[in-house]
Amino acid sequence: MFNFNFGKKRLDKKQLIIISAILSGIVATLSQCTGVSPERLWDLLDEVQRSLFPQTIINDVLLQDPGVVDRRVERDVDKAIREYEALTRDSEPPRVPLPRLIEKAPDEALCYSEDCKKLGGEMRLCSPWVDNCKEEDVK
């Protein structure tokens, strides 16, 4: 009889705990000896294993720590921003044109009293990138 499973194999808790303890000890020792913060060492380990040993149990150990995951996401987003800026050669955000103020005189046909004329006409903001926002409508 064959036992066939789909997807990734479940983690063995014993292996996970042993590897976590070994990696924590190595990172703590290196941090003490070199003076480098443990977070930076965990980040270095994360980047090395991502490039050289992807999809190993070390990756599974690192993903158990929310701090490592947060820093990984931050590094990935920063890298994507740098790549975008290199592709577009644009480090400044695009300038958005300011909206235009449009004021119209009150429509005499709709006014039933003198108070209506005192209130004034239509006022609106018009976006310059919209086709029906004409320069002559702007006061």
Side-chain angles (χ1 to χ4, degrees):
M1 178 182 240
F2 293 103
N3 187 9
F4 188 75
N5 296 318
F6 290 99
K8 192 174 180 181
K9 214 164 110 174
R10 286 191 170 181
L11 296 175
D12 183 20
K13 298 263 187 212
K14 186 177 179 181
Q15 284 181 334
L16 189 66
I17 292 170
I18 292 171
I19 292 176
S20 295
I22 291 170
L23 287 176
S24 296
I26 292 171
V27 166
T29 304
L30 284 174
S31 177
Q32 288 289 326
C33 293
T34 61
V36 178
S37 71
E39 290 83 16
R40 294 191 77 142
L41 290 173
W42 282 113
D43 293 346
L44 176 65
L45 177 64
D46 185 31
E47 289 299 321
V48 167
Q49 73 82 26
R50 282 176 77 183
S51 61
L52 299 178
F53 312 108
Q55 303 302 322
T56 60
I57 195 166
I58 296 172
N59 186 46
D60 297 333
V61 168
L62 293 173
L63 292 178
Q64 298 296 318
D65 183 7
V68 172
V69 174
D70 289 343
R71 289 190 306 274
R72 177 188 280 194
V73 169
E74 188 174 331
R75 285 191 315 271
D76 289 347
V77 170
D78 289 345
K79 180 181 175 188
I81 290 170
R82 284 191 304 272
E83 288 174 357
Y84 170 77
E85 288 174 349
L87 286 174
T88 60
R89 305 276 190 254
D90 186 20
S91 60
E92 291 184 21
R95 293 188 178 186
V96 178
L98 295 174
R100 298 182 182 131
L101 175 65
I102 299 176
E103 295 177 295
K104 294 185 179 179
D107 188 3
E108 299 287 330
L110 297 176
C111 287
Y112 299 111
S113 68
E114 288 298 317
D115 292 335
C116 176
K117 293 178 186 175
K118 291 178 187 175
L119 291 175
E122 173 187 352
M123 291 179 65
R124 65 183 174 116
L125 290 176
C126 180
S127 301
W129 56 86
V130 176
D131 291 336
N132 65 356
C133 182
K134 299 176 186 160
E135 285 288 332
E136 60 269 8
D137 290 341
V138 180
K139 273 192 178 180

